[in-house]
Every structure is written in structure tokens, then in C-alpha cells.
Amino acid sequence: MRIDIGGGVRLFVDVEGLGLVPDGASMREKPTLICMHGGPGFDHSAFKPGFGAFADIAQVIYYDHRGHGRSDPRPRAEWTLDTWADDVVRLCDALGIVKPIVLGQSFGGFVAQRYIARHPGHASKVVLSSTSPHMGLDRKRVMFEKLGGADARDRAVAFWSHPTPETWAHYWASCRKLYNTQPPADPLAGERVLANYEILLHFAGGEMQTLDLLPGLAAAQCPVLVLTGDHDPVCPLEDSRDIAAALPAALAQLKVVPGAGHGTWRDKPLEAMAFLRQFLQA
């Protein structure tokens, strides 16, 4: 379904699990988990079916960022991190969600970090998964060379330095396989993604080039889990360590999943999903 979040902006939203469940003589409200997908330019489909496993303890909300996937197209001027971060609040207002648990994967983690800075009291918990606070090209260069040799390093540097349709095509063809340590459980999962590469190139070539999300993290007012794999080339482990260090010490948890790449639950589902469940229920 498409939900109007104000100003005629409609986001595609899907819901899994009940929000209210019978509990003795009353109805108990479960927490709401909002899943924010990666990209930019991709959609929410990578969360399915895996995150349905949390429907027993939370109502799971999937949505496509403004201009992405099945959400309505929007003008280029709205493709900004501030807008996407504020959309979390707009969506919650439209759906009547109070104190959500917000999970951002990769680019969704960029959005979640800006959301923390702009709306620090809005969430009950936040998960920053396989994400970075900045471009961090030097770290990307090292990891891609470690995992894929000089060719992968050079293609990664070419794309992230100068995002164009050509550098993207060369990068994705040779470097995508290095993102993860395990083959996908469903080989057709990537085929289901509704991709908008115009948004990807716009953000990667613009706002991301000078991105620095670390200062805003000090504003956090809720527990924040930083979840990462030690074999992630595009959002390397040291980026997650920087994020955890920038958060208030009493609120930050850093979980490193050994042997996992970009998206820990994809490569090490038993360990990553068990730890996520523990954090959601804490």
C-alpha cells in the first residue's frame, strides 16, 4: 500500500505481524520495527523473507524511501539525507507509530544516523547495520584490494571517486560478489530489486562525497546497536567502530560478526538474527 506522509508524498509500505495481540484480559501492544533499506536507489525487498522472523515479537514495517522502489517518484531536489531522515517521522505520524525501533541497513544506516541527529528523542532503539558515517574511500580501497585484488580496488576507487553509469557498471560487475562471504540463499533475490540508478549516482556523486555523520551521533537518546561484519568491503569494520565511539558510551553497543560481509544476517543468519532478537527484546 502507499501511505501519504504529507504534501502528497506517498511511500510504499508493507506490514508484517500484528500490532496488538490478545494477552489475558487485555490487548498487548508489540513494539514496531521499521526497516530502512540500502542503496541508495534500491528497495526494501532484501529484508524479505528473513525479517518476518521478528513478527512474533514486533510489528515489522517495511517501506521504500522517498523516490525509491514502489514509492511515488519524486523530484531530484528531494533526494537528500535530511529529507529521507525526516520521512521516518512523517511516516510514523501518518501511521500513528510512537517510539519505533528503527533499523537502517547500509544507506538506510546513513538515513538512520541523520535521523538520530535531527530527531534524537523519536525512537526507542536504533540499529545501525553495515553502514558508514562518511565516504571513507581509503578504507574501501584497502578492503576491496584485500578481497578482490588490484582490479577490484581500482574499479572501486573509480566508481566512488567519479560515479557515472560507466564506472558503476564496471564496479558492480566485478565488486558486487565481494560484498558478502556466502552466496545468496535465494539466487533470484537480486532480480526482485526495483533499482533507480539515477538516485544512486546523484547521491554517490553529490552529498556522499563530503558526508560526515559522526558529529550528530552525540545527540542519541536511546540505545543504539552498531552491527557489522569483519569482511565488509564497502562499509568496513573501522567505520562501525568510529560510529560506536561517536555515540554516547552508555547507549552504544558494537557487535562484530566474524566471517560476515555486507549484511550480517545474509552471511551469518543464525548469529546475527539471534543478536538482533536479543536487542529488540531487551
Side-chain angles (χ1 to χ4, degrees), residues 65-120:
H65 296 293
R66 178 186 297 234
H68 291 65
R70 294 166 179 82
S71 293
D72 286 352
R74 298 299 302 174
R76 180 182 292 261
E78 297 179 9
W79 300 348
T80 70
L81 209 52
D82 285 352
T83 299
W84 289 314
D86 292 349
D87 280 347
V88 182
V89 176
R90 296 184 185 105
L91 178 62
C92 287
D93 288 347
L95 295 177
I97 298 170
V98 178
K99 289 293 183 181
I101 303 170
V102 175
L103 181 149
Q105 161 67 18
S106 191
F107 165 73
F110 298 169
V111 178
Q113 289 174 76
R114 185 58 59 84
Y115 162 76
I116 287 173
R118 291 174 68 83
H119 307 282

Short mmCIF file of all heavy atoms in Angstrom, two decimals, residues 65-120:
data_model
loop_
_atom_site.label_atom_id
_atom_site.label_comp_id
_atom_site.label_asym_id
_atom_site.label_seq_id
_atom_site.Cartn_x
_atom_site.Cartn_y
_atom_site.Cartn_z
N HIS A 65 12.18 4.10 0.54
CA HIS A 65 12.48 5.52 0.74
C HIS A 65 11.81 6.37 -0.34
O HIS A 65 11.52 5.89 -1.45
CB HIS A 65 13.98 5.77 0.69
CG HIS A 65 14.77 5.11 1.78
ND1 HIS A 65 14.65 5.46 3.10
CD2 HIS A 65 15.70 4.12 1.73
CE1 HIS A 65 15.48 4.72 3.82
NE2 HIS A 65 16.11 3.89 3.02
N ARG A 66 11.60 7.61 -0.01
CA ARG A 66 11.04 8.58 -0.96
C ARG A 66 11.76 8.48 -2.32
O ARG A 66 12.99 8.51 -2.40
CB ARG A 66 11.19 9.99 -0.40
CG ARG A 66 10.68 11.09 -1.30
CD ARG A 66 11.01 12.45 -0.74
NE ARG A 66 10.36 12.68 0.55
CZ ARG A 66 9.59 13.75 0.82
NH1 ARG A 66 9.37 14.66 -0.11
NH2 ARG A 66 9.06 13.91 2.02
N GLY A 67 10.98 8.31 -3.37
CA GLY A 67 11.52 8.24 -4.72
C GLY A 67 12.04 6.87 -5.12
O GLY A 67 12.42 6.67 -6.27
N HIS A 68 12.07 5.92 -4.19
CA HIS A 68 12.64 4.60 -4.43
C HIS A 68 11.55 3.54 -4.67
O HIS A 68 10.43 3.67 -4.19
CB HIS A 68 13.45 4.14 -3.21
CG HIS A 68 14.73 4.89 -2.97
ND1 HIS A 68 14.76 6.21 -2.63
CD2 HIS A 68 16.02 4.47 -2.98
CE1 HIS A 68 16.02 6.59 -2.46
NE2 HIS A 68 16.80 5.56 -2.66
N GLY A 69 11.96 2.47 -5.33
CA GLY A 69 11.14 1.27 -5.41
C GLY A 69 9.72 1.54 -5.84
O GLY A 69 9.45 2.13 -6.89
N ARG A 70 8.78 1.12 -4.99
CA ARG A 70 7.35 1.26 -5.29
C ARG A 70 6.75 2.54 -4.71
O ARG A 70 5.55 2.77 -4.84
CB ARG A 70 6.60 0.03 -4.77
CG ARG A 70 6.98 -1.24 -5.52
CD ARG A 70 6.51 -2.50 -4.81
NE ARG A 70 6.88 -3.69 -5.56
CZ ARG A 70 8.09 -4.27 -5.52
NH1 ARG A 70 9.04 -3.75 -4.76
NH2 ARG A 70 8.34 -5.34 -6.24
N SER A 71 7.56 3.34 -4.02
CA SER A 71 7.10 4.67 -3.61
C SER A 71 6.97 5.56 -4.85
O SER A 71 7.58 5.30 -5.89
CB SER A 71 8.08 5.29 -2.61
OG SER A 71 8.07 4.57 -1.39
N ASP A 72 6.19 6.60 -4.70
CA ASP A 72 5.99 7.50 -5.85
C ASP A 72 7.31 8.15 -6.26
O ASP A 72 8.13 8.50 -5.40
CB ASP A 72 4.99 8.60 -5.49
CG ASP A 72 3.56 8.09 -5.42
OD1 ASP A 72 3.33 6.92 -5.80
OD2 ASP A 72 2.69 8.86 -4.99
N PRO A 73 7.53 8.35 -7.56
CA PRO A 73 8.69 9.15 -7.99
C PRO A 73 8.61 10.55 -7.41
O PRO A 73 7.52 11.12 -7.26
CB PRO A 73 8.55 9.16 -9.51
CG PRO A 73 7.67 8.00 -9.84
CD PRO A 73 6.72 7.87 -8.69
N ARG A 74 9.78 11.10 -7.09
CA ARG A 74 9.84 12.45 -6.56
C ARG A 74 10.97 13.21 -7.22
O ARG A 74 11.92 12.62 -7.73
CB ARG A 74 10.07 12.43 -5.04
CG ARG A 74 8.98 11.75 -4.23
CD ARG A 74 7.63 12.43 -4.39
NE ARG A 74 7.66 13.84 -3.99
CZ ARG A 74 6.64 14.68 -4.14
NH1 ARG A 74 5.51 14.27 -4.70
NH2 ARG A 74 6.76 15.93 -3.74
N PRO A 75 10.90 14.55 -7.26
CA PRO A 75 11.93 15.33 -7.95
C PRO A 75 13.29 15.23 -7.28
O PRO A 75 13.41 14.98 -6.08
CB PRO A 75 11.38 16.76 -7.89
CG PRO A 75 10.40 16.76 -6.76
CD PRO A 75 9.81 15.38 -6.71
N ARG A 76 14.31 15.45 -8.08
CA ARG A 76 15.71 15.34 -7.65
C ARG A 76 16.00 16.21 -6.41
O ARG A 76 16.80 15.86 -5.56
CB ARG A 76 16.61 15.73 -8.81
CG ARG A 76 18.09 15.68 -8.53
CD ARG A 76 18.87 16.13 -9.75
NE ARG A 76 18.73 15.18 -10.85
CZ ARG A 76 19.65 14.27 -11.14
NH1 ARG A 76 20.76 14.19 -10.43
NH2 ARG A 76 19.47 13.44 -12.16
N ALA A 77 15.35 17.36 -6.31
CA ALA A 77 15.59 18.28 -5.19
C ALA A 77 15.26 17.64 -3.85
O ALA A 77 15.75 18.10 -2.80
CB ALA A 77 14.79 19.56 -5.38
N GLU A 78 14.44 16.59 -3.86
CA GLU A 78 14.04 15.92 -2.61
C GLU A 78 14.94 14.73 -2.28
O GLU A 78 14.74 14.10 -1.25
CB GLU A 78 12.59 15.46 -2.71
CG GLU A 78 11.61 16.61 -2.86
CD GLU A 78 10.17 16.14 -2.97
OE1 GLU A 78 9.90 14.94 -2.76
OE2 GLU A 78 9.30 16.99 -3.27
N TRP A 79 15.92 14.44 -3.11
CA TRP A 79 16.80 13.29 -2.86
C TRP A 79 17.94 13.71 -1.94
O TRP A 79 19.10 13.80 -2.34
CB TRP A 79 17.36 12.76 -4.17
CG TRP A 79 16.36 12.28 -5.17
CD1 TRP A 79 15.02 12.06 -4.98
CD2 TRP A 79 16.62 12.00 -6.55
NE1 TRP A 79 14.43 11.64 -6.14
CE2 TRP A 79 15.38 11.60 -7.13
CE3 TRP A 79 17.75 12.03 -7.35
CZ2 TRP A 79 15.27 11.23 -8.46
CZ3 TRP A 79 17.64 11.68 -8.68
CH2 TRP A 79 16.42 11.27 -9.22
N THR A 80 17.61 14.01 -0.69
CA THR A 80 18.62 14.45 0.27
C THR A 80 18.48 13.64 1.55
O THR A 80 17.40 13.15 1.91
CB THR A 80 18.46 15.93 0.61
OG1 THR A 80 17.26 16.12 1.39
CG2 THR A 80 18.39 16.79 -0.65
N LEU A 81 19.58 13.54 2.27
CA LEU A 81 19.58 12.76 3.51
C LEU A 81 18.67 13.38 4.55
O LEU A 81 17.98 12.66 5.29
CB LEU A 81 21.02 12.67 4.03
CG LEU A 81 21.39 11.43 4.86
CD1 LEU A 81 21.02 10.14 4.14
CD2 LEU A 81 22.88 11.46 5.19
N ASP A 82 18.62 14.71 4.62
CA ASP A 82 17.71 15.36 5.57
C ASP A 82 16.27 14.99 5.28
O ASP A 82 15.48 14.69 6.20
CB ASP A 82 17.87 16.88 5.52
CG ASP A 82 19.14 17.37 6.20
OD1 ASP A 82 19.83 16.56 6.85
OD2 ASP A 82 19.44 18.58 6.08
N THR A 83 15.89 15.00 4.00
CA THR A 83 14.51 14.67 3.63
C THR A 83 14.19 13.23 3.98
O THR A 83 13.14 12.92 4.56
CB THR A 83 14.29 14.92 2.14
OG1 THR A 83 14.52 16.29 1.85
CG2 THR A 83 12.87 14.56 1.73
N TRP A 84 15.09 12.30 3.62
CA TRP A 84 14.84 10.89 3.92
C TRP A 84 14.78 10.64 5.43
O TRP A 84 13.98 9.82 5.90
CB TRP A 84 15.92 10.02 3.27
CG TRP A 84 15.81 9.94 1.77
CD1 TRP A 84 14.69 9.71 1.04
CD2 TRP A 84 16.87 10.08 0.82
NE1 TRP A 84 14.97 9.69 -0.31
CE2 TRP A 84 16.31 9.91 -0.47
CE3 TRP A 84 18.25 10.31 0.93
CZ2 TRP A 84 17.08 9.98 -1.64
CZ3 TRP A 84 19.01 10.38 -0.24
CH2 TRP A 84 18.43 10.21 -1.51
N ALA A 85 15.61 11.35 6.20
CA ALA A 85 15.59 11.18 7.65
C ALA A 85 14.28 11.72 8.24
O ALA A 85 13.67 11.09 9.11
CB ALA A 85 16.79 11.89 8.28
N ASP A 86 13.85 12.88 7.77
CA ASP A 86 12.59 13.45 8.27
C ASP A 86 11.39 12.59 7.87
O ASP A 86 10.36 12.61 8.56
CB ASP A 86 12.42 14.87 7.74
CG ASP A 86 13.44 15.85 8.32
OD1 ASP A 86 14.15 15.48 9.28
OD2 ASP A 86 13.53 16.98 7.79
N ASP A 87 11.52 11.85 6.77
CA ASP A 87 10.43 10.97 6.34
C ASP A 87 10.13 9.89 7.36
O ASP A 87 8.99 9.38 7.42
CB ASP A 87 10.75 10.32 4.99
CG ASP A 87 10.50 11.25 3.81
OD1 ASP A 87 9.85 12.30 4.00
OD2 ASP A 87 10.95 10.90 2.69
N VAL A 88 11.12 9.49 8.16
CA VAL A 88 10.86 8.49 9.21
C VAL A 88 9.80 9.03 10.17
O VAL A 88 8.85 8.34 10.55
CB VAL A 88 12.15 8.14 9.97
CG1 VAL A 88 11.86 7.05 11.01
CG2 VAL A 88 13.25 7.68 9.02
N VAL A 89 9.95 10.28 10.56
CA VAL A 89 8.98 10.90 11.47
C VAL A 89 7.64 11.10 10.77
O VAL A 89 6.57 10.83 11.35
CB VAL A 89 9.53 12.25 11.99
CG1 VAL A 89 8.50 12.96 12.87
CG2 VAL A 89 10.83 12.02 12.76
N ARG A 90 7.69 11.55 9.53
CA ARG A 90 6.44 11.74 8.79
C ARG A 90 5.67 10.43 8.65
O ARG A 90 4.44 10.39 8.78
CB ARG A 90 6.73 12.32 7.41
CG ARG A 90 7.36 13.71 7.41
CD ARG A 90 7.53 14.23 6.00
NE ARG A 90 8.23 15.51 5.95
CZ ARG A 90 9.48 15.68 5.58
NH1 ARG A 90 10.21 14.64 5.19
NH2 ARG A 90 10.03 16.87 5.57
N LEU A 91 6.39 9.35 8.35
CA LEU A 91 5.73 8.05 8.20
C LEU A 91 5.12 7.60 9.53
O LEU A 91 3.98 7.10 9.57
CB LEU A 91 6.74 7.01 7.70
CG LEU A 91 6.23 5.59 7.54
CD1 LEU A 91 5.10 5.53 6.50
CD2 LEU A 91 7.36 4.64 7.13
N CYS A 92 5.86 7.77 10.62
CA CYS A 92 5.33 7.38 11.92
C CYS A 92 4.10 8.20 12.28
O CYS A 92 3.13 7.66 12.83
CB CYS A 92 6.41 7.54 12.99
SG CYS A 92 7.72 6.29 12.92
N ASP A 93 4.12 9.48 11.98
CA ASP A 93 2.95 10.32 12.26
C ASP A 93 1.75 9.84 11.45
O ASP A 93 0.62 9.78 11.96
CB ASP A 93 3.25 11.78 11.92
CG ASP A 93 4.21 12.44 12.91
OD1 ASP A 93 4.44 11.86 13.99
OD2 ASP A 93 4.73 13.53 12.59
N ALA A 94 1.98 9.49 10.19
CA ALA A 94 0.89 9.04 9.34
C ALA A 94 0.29 7.72 9.82
O ALA A 94 -0.92 7.49 9.68
CB ALA A 94 1.37 8.91 7.90
N LEU A 95 1.14 6.85 10.37
CA LEU A 95 0.68 5.53 10.80
C LEU A 95 0.36 5.46 12.29
O LEU A 95 -0.07 4.41 12.78
CB LEU A 95 1.75 4.48 10.47
CG LEU A 95 2.05 4.26 8.99
CD1 LEU A 95 3.19 3.25 8.82
CD2 LEU A 95 0.81 3.78 8.25
N GLY A 96 0.58 6.54 13.02
CA GLY A 96 0.31 6.54 14.45
C GLY A 96 1.31 5.73 15.25
O GLY A 96 0.96 5.17 16.31
N ILE A 97 2.55 5.65 14.79
CA ILE A 97 3.58 4.88 15.48
C ILE A 97 4.32 5.78 16.46
O ILE A 97 4.80 6.87 16.10
CB ILE A 97 4.59 4.28 14.47
CG1 ILE A 97 3.88 3.31 13.52
CG2 ILE A 97 5.74 3.59 15.18
CD1 ILE A 97 4.73 2.88 12.35
N VAL A 98 4.43 5.33 17.70
CA VAL A 98 5.13 6.07 18.74
C VAL A 98 6.33 5.24 19.21
O VAL A 98 6.21 4.03 19.45
CB VAL A 98 4.20 6.37 19.93
CG1 VAL A 98 4.95 7.10 21.04
CG2 VAL A 98 3.00 7.19 19.47
N LYS A 99 7.48 5.86 19.32
CA LYS A 99 8.72 5.24 19.80
C LYS A 99 9.05 3.95 19.03
O LYS A 99 9.14 2.87 19.60
CB LYS A 99 8.62 4.96 21.30
CG LYS A 99 8.66 6.21 22.16
CD LYS A 99 10.03 6.89 22.08
CE LYS A 99 10.12 8.09 23.00
NZ LYS A 99 11.45 8.77 22.91
N PRO A 100 9.27 4.06 17.74
CA PRO A 100 9.62 2.86 16.97
C PRO A 100 11.04 2.40 17.26
O PRO A 100 11.87 3.15 17.80
CB PRO A 100 9.53 3.36 15.52
CG PRO A 100 9.92 4.81 15.63
CD PRO A 100 9.31 5.28 16.93
N ILE A 101 11.32 1.16 16.89
CA ILE A 101 12.69 0.67 16.77
C ILE A 101 13.06 0.85 15.30
O ILE A 101 12.38 0.32 14.42
CB ILE A 101 12.81 -0.81 17.18
CG1 ILE A 101 12.32 -1.01 18.61
CG2 ILE A 101 14.25 -1.30 17.02
CD1 ILE A 101 12.17 -2.47 19.00
N VAL A 102 14.10 1.60 15.03
CA VAL A 102 14.46 1.94 13.65
C VAL A 102 15.75 1.23 13.28
O VAL A 102 16.77 1.37 13.97
CB VAL A 102 14.62 3.46 13.49
CG1 VAL A 102 15.13 3.81 12.10
CG2 VAL A 102 13.29 4.17 13.76
N LEU A 103 15.69 0.45 12.21
CA LEU A 103 16.86 -0.29 11.73
C LEU A 103 17.22 0.21 10.34
O LEU A 103 16.38 0.18 9.43
CB LEU A 103 16.59 -1.79 11.71
CG LEU A 103 17.73 -2.69 11.25
CD1 LEU A 103 17.67 -4.05 11.95
CD2 LEU A 103 17.75 -2.92 9.73
N GLY A 104 18.46 0.65 10.18
CA GLY A 104 18.94 1.10 8.88
C GLY A 104 20.09 0.25 8.41
O GLY A 104 21.09 0.11 9.11
N GLN A 105 19.93 -0.34 7.22
CA GLN A 105 20.96 -1.17 6.61
C GLN A 105 21.70 -0.38 5.54
O GLN A 105 21.08 0.19 4.64
CB GLN A 105 20.33 -2.43 6.01
CG GLN A 105 21.16 -3.17 4.97
CD GLN A 105 22.42 -3.81 5.53
OE1 GLN A 105 22.54 -4.01 6.74
NE2 GLN A 105 23.35 -4.16 4.67
N SER A 106 23.03 -0.31 5.64
CA SER A 106 23.86 0.33 4.61
C SER A 106 23.43 1.78 4.40
O SER A 106 23.54 2.59 5.33
CB SER A 106 23.79 -0.50 3.33
OG SER A 106 24.75 -0.09 2.39
N PHE A 107 22.95 2.15 3.21
CA PHE A 107 22.45 3.51 3.01
C PHE A 107 21.32 3.82 3.99
O PHE A 107 21.20 4.97 4.47
CB PHE A 107 21.96 3.68 1.57
CG PHE A 107 21.10 4.89 1.36
CD1 PHE A 107 21.66 6.16 1.35
CD2 PHE A 107 19.73 4.77 1.17
CE1 PHE A 107 20.87 7.28 1.16
CE2 PHE A 107 18.94 5.88 0.99
CZ PHE A 107 19.51 7.14 0.98
N GLY A 108 20.49 2.84 4.31
CA GLY A 108 19.47 3.04 5.34
C GLY A 108 20.09 3.43 6.67
O GLY A 108 19.48 4.13 7.47
N GLY A 109 21.32 2.97 6.92
CA GLY A 109 22.04 3.39 8.11
C GLY A 109 22.50 4.83 8.05
O GLY A 109 22.59 5.51 9.07
N PHE A 110 22.81 5.35 6.82
CA PHE A 110 23.08 6.78 6.68
C PHE A 110 21.84 7.57 7.11
O PHE A 110 21.94 8.54 7.86
CB PHE A 110 23.38 7.16 5.23
CG PHE A 110 24.59 6.53 4.60
CD1 PHE A 110 24.80 6.64 3.25
CD2 PHE A 110 25.50 5.82 5.35
CE1 PHE A 110 25.90 6.09 2.62
CE2 PHE A 110 26.61 5.25 4.74
CZ PHE A 110 26.80 5.38 3.39
N VAL A 111 20.68 7.12 6.61
CA VAL A 111 19.43 7.79 6.94
C VAL A 111 19.19 7.73 8.45
O VAL A 111 18.80 8.73 9.07
CB VAL A 111 18.25 7.14 6.18
CG1 VAL A 111 16.94 7.80 6.57
CG2 VAL A 111 18.46 7.25 4.66
N ALA A 112 19.43 6.57 9.05
CA ALA A 112 19.20 6.41 10.48
C ALA A 112 20.14 7.29 11.30
O ALA A 112 19.74 7.83 12.35
CB ALA A 112 19.37 4.95 10.88
N GLN A 113 21.38 7.45 10.85
CA GLN A 113 22.31 8.33 11.58
C GLN A 113 21.85 9.78 11.52
O GLN A 113 21.90 10.50 12.52
CB GLN A 113 23.71 8.19 10.99
CG GLN A 113 24.38 6.85 11.31
CD GLN A 113 25.71 6.71 10.59
OE1 GLN A 113 26.71 7.31 10.99
NE2 GLN A 113 25.74 5.90 9.54
N ARG A 114 21.41 10.23 10.35
CA ARG A 114 20.90 11.60 10.25
C ARG A 114 19.60 11.75 11.05
O ARG A 114 19.36 12.80 11.65
CB ARG A 114 20.69 11.96 8.78
CG ARG A 114 20.26 13.41 8.53
CD ARG A 114 21.23 14.46 9.06
NE ARG A 114 22.55 14.38 8.50
CZ ARG A 114 22.93 14.91 7.34
NH1 ARG A 114 22.06 15.56 6.59
NH2 ARG A 114 24.18 14.80 6.95
N TYR A 115 18.79 10.71 11.07
CA TYR A 115 17.56 10.70 11.89
C TYR A 115 17.89 10.87 13.36
O TYR A 115 17.22 11.63 14.08
CB TYR A 115 16.83 9.39 11.61
CG TYR A 115 15.78 8.95 12.59
CD1 TYR A 115 14.51 9.54 12.64
CD2 TYR A 115 16.04 7.88 13.47
CE1 TYR A 115 13.54 9.09 13.53
CE2 TYR A 115 15.07 7.43 14.35
CZ TYR A 115 13.83 8.03 14.38
OH TYR A 115 12.88 7.58 15.25
N ILE A 116 18.93 10.19 13.85
CA ILE A 116 19.36 10.36 15.24
C ILE A 116 19.71 11.82 15.50
O ILE A 116 19.32 12.40 16.53
CB ILE A 116 20.56 9.46 15.55
CG1 ILE A 116 20.13 7.99 15.65
CG2 ILE A 116 21.25 9.89 16.85
CD1 ILE A 116 21.30 7.02 15.79
N ALA A 117 20.45 12.43 14.59
CA ALA A 117 20.89 13.81 14.78
C ALA A 117 19.72 14.80 14.76
O ALA A 117 19.69 15.76 15.54
CB ALA A 117 21.90 14.18 13.70
N ARG A 118 18.76 14.57 13.88
CA ARG A 118 17.67 15.53 13.69
C ARG A 118 16.48 15.27 14.61
O ARG A 118 15.71 16.19 14.92
CB ARG A 118 17.21 15.52 12.23
CG ARG A 118 18.26 16.09 11.29
CD ARG A 118 17.85 15.93 9.83
NE ARG A 118 16.71 16.75 9.43
CZ ARG A 118 16.78 18.03 9.07
NH1 ARG A 118 17.95 18.65 9.10
NH2 ARG A 118 15.70 18.69 8.68
N HIS A 119 16.32 14.02 15.05
CA HIS A 119 15.16 13.64 15.87
C HIS A 119 15.61 12.71 16.99
O HIS A 119 15.17 11.56 17.08
CB HIS A 119 14.11 12.96 15.00
CG HIS A 119 13.73 13.75 13.78
ND1 HIS A 119 12.86 14.83 13.83
CD2 HIS A 119 14.10 13.63 12.48
CE1 HIS A 119 12.71 15.33 12.63
NE2 HIS A 119 13.45 14.63 11.79
N PRO A 120 16.47 13.19 17.88
CA PRO A 120 17.12 12.28 18.84
C PRO A 120 16.18 11.63 19.85
O PRO A 120 16.51 10.57 20.38
CB PRO A 120 18.13 13.20 19.55
CG PRO A 120 17.61 14.59 19.34
CD PRO A 120 16.96 14.57 17.99
#
